[in-house]
Amino acid sequence: MEIPEYFSLVLSILAFVFSLWSFFVERKRNRSEATIHAFDQLEEQVFSQKNYSTLAIKAGEDYCNGKRDGSWQTATSYLSKIEHFCAGIRLKTYDIDTLNRLAGGFIIEQYHYWTPIINTKRLKDVNKRMKHYDEFEAVAKELCKKRGQTWDL
């Protein structure tokens, strides 16, 4: 092999390494961007609703009074949307580090806020086959770990 051939080989290897590096950087950026957009949508559809701040308490009261419509259905619908977002985090469609910077503490607070409804749903499942809001719980626990906080539930 002559010098021009070595030079071509080295350039090819460098181009390959740069392409690989560029792919992973872009992939991380896309996941971060997708996380921001998905969280914005979740915030709009769930956290910004005017009945949101009292909904878990109202839903819990309604459930205890035998009502399974209205606030109970709305609460479980909101939890479902949060769970879907958290599944995206766990599947690495979205980026947990971006979520941590964006709203990590808020997500942890929300898990605590919804714990009574989550526990009610889990207790209702007599066969224990449904994994009610396990993705939400796992994301909240991971965020606690990333923030150096203890999980106290």
Side-chain angles (χ1 to χ4, degrees):
M1 248 178 162
E2 303 218 5
I3 291 178
E5 292 170 332
Y6 282 119
F7 184 70
S8 295
L9 181 63
V10 168
L11 278 179
S12 296
I13 291 171
L14 287 175
F16 174 74
V17 169
F18 178 76
S19 296
L20 204 58
W21 173 81
S22 179
F23 170 78
F24 285 109
V25 167
E26 185 65 17
R27 182 173 166 234
K28 172 77 172 154
R29 190 191 70 76
N30 287 340
R31 284 181 52 222
S32 293
E33 186 177 333
T35 305
I36 292 167
H37 290 303
F39 184 80
D40 283 346
Q41 187 176 18
L42 181 66
E43 189 171 33
E44 181 182 303
Q45 292 176 353
V46 176
F47 305 130
S48 295
Q49 297 300 310
K50 64 182 174 184
N51 66 343
Y52 183 78
S53 63
T54 58
L55 184 62
I57 295 164
K58 174 96 173 90
E61 289 171 356
D62 285 354
Y63 184 84
C64 289
N65 293 328
K67 295 179 185 174
R68 304 294 188 271
D69 56 352
S71 62
W72 180 258
Q73 285 183 333
T74 302
T76 57
S77 172
Y78 287 175
L79 273 168
S80 176
K81 290 176 183 180
I82 295 168
E83 180 76 352
H84 289 150
F85 174 76
C86 290
I89 292 287
R90 299 272 316 246
L91 292 169
K92 301 198 182 312
T93 301
Y94 306 131
D95 182 53
I96 195 158
D97 293 326
T98 303
L99 176 62
N100 188 31
R101 291 182 69 184
L102 183 67
F106 180 74
I107 293 295
I108 295 166
E109 283 178 8
Q110 293 313 298
Y111 186 82
H112 291 293
Y113 172 76
W114 287 107
T115 298
I117 303 300
I118 292 168
N119 288 339
T120 300
K121 291 278 284 189
R122 288 176 176 172
L123 288 172
K124 262 181 30 174
D125 182 18
V126 290
N127 295 326
K128 307 295 182 220
R129 290 190 181 139
M130 299 290 292
K131 305 232 185 260
H132 294 287
Y133 312 114
D134 283 1
E135 301 292 339
F136 188 12
E137 182 177 4
V139 167
K141 282 180 178 178
E142 180 66 23
L143 289 168
C144 277
K145 193 164 86 174
K146 285 185 173 294
R147 291 171 167 256
Q149 299 174 353
T150 57
W151 182 255
D152 55 349
L153 273 181

